[in-house]
Amino acid sequence: RGLFKWLAGDHSGHFLAFTTRTVMETMATYGDALTALNDTKMVGPSYIILGGVAAGEGAVITREEALSLHLWTIKNNLRHKDFYVLQTNYDNWVKAPFFDDRRDPAMKCMDAMGPSGVGFPNLFNVLSHEPNLNLLTTYTTLMDVKRGHFEAYRQACKTHPCAP
């Protein structure tokens, strides 16, 4: 709907990729970036995952074109896990479908890992095993905002059958 409006001349919505780049280039703090990404009118729906450099700075913003539907931060984590927020392909406040539940297995892995285990190798392991790795997975990117470092991997499920 938002893209059709934009094509018809209503340019009040912003494209997520361009907005994210602008925010990362111009906002000095996590709080400023969070506000901008949460409040800016977009062209279409999205999940925006934002991390900061300080403990407790992490959020998932669930957007529709005109507004934010849900802001889930580490600080207001409804699951009372104070070291992560986790987003898969479904709204985080709705039960994942039985045929594609990647959220619950990933949360189980994160809980077992604990805050002291968080690092690229362990996060990569969570994202690189079924059911999180599935036939629709094309790549995995790990980012460390504080160090300004990221690693990206092309992924493919090598076992068969592979869900979904």
Side-chain angles (χ1 to χ4, degrees), residues 48-122:
I48 303 169
I49 300 152
L50 180 66
V53 296
E57 291 184 339
V60 175
I61 306 166
T62 304
R63 295 290 320 240
E64 67 176 19
E65 63 198 51
L67 55 96
S68 173
L69 294 175
H70 190 256
L71 174 61
W72 182 32
T73 68
I74 290 176
K75 289 188 178 185
N76 72 5
N77 188 342
L78 299 176
R79 293 178 184 90
H80 306 291
K81 310 225 181 350
D82 59 355
F83 74 101
Y84 71 88
V85 289
L86 187 147
Q87 182 63 46
T88 58
N89 291 28
Y90 306 98
D91 294 340
N92 59 55
W93 62 93
V94 176
K95 184 171 175 51
F98 73 91
F99 59 86
D100 190 24
D101 183 5
R102 290 174 268 166
R103 180 188 317 138
D104 291 330
M107 289 174 62
K108 186 175 180 182
C109 289
M110 292 297 294
D111 292 343
M113 180 191 316
S116 63
V118 173
F120 278 18
N122 286 343

Side-chain angles (χ1 to χ4, degrees), residues 83 110 113-127 142-144 147 151:
F83 74 101
M110 292 297 294
M113 180 191 316
S116 63
V118 173
F120 278 18
N122 286 343
L123 290 173
F124 184 79
N125 283 338
V126 171
L127 297 170
L142 304 165
M143 301 176 201
D144 183 331
R147 293 187 310 143
E151 296 177 10

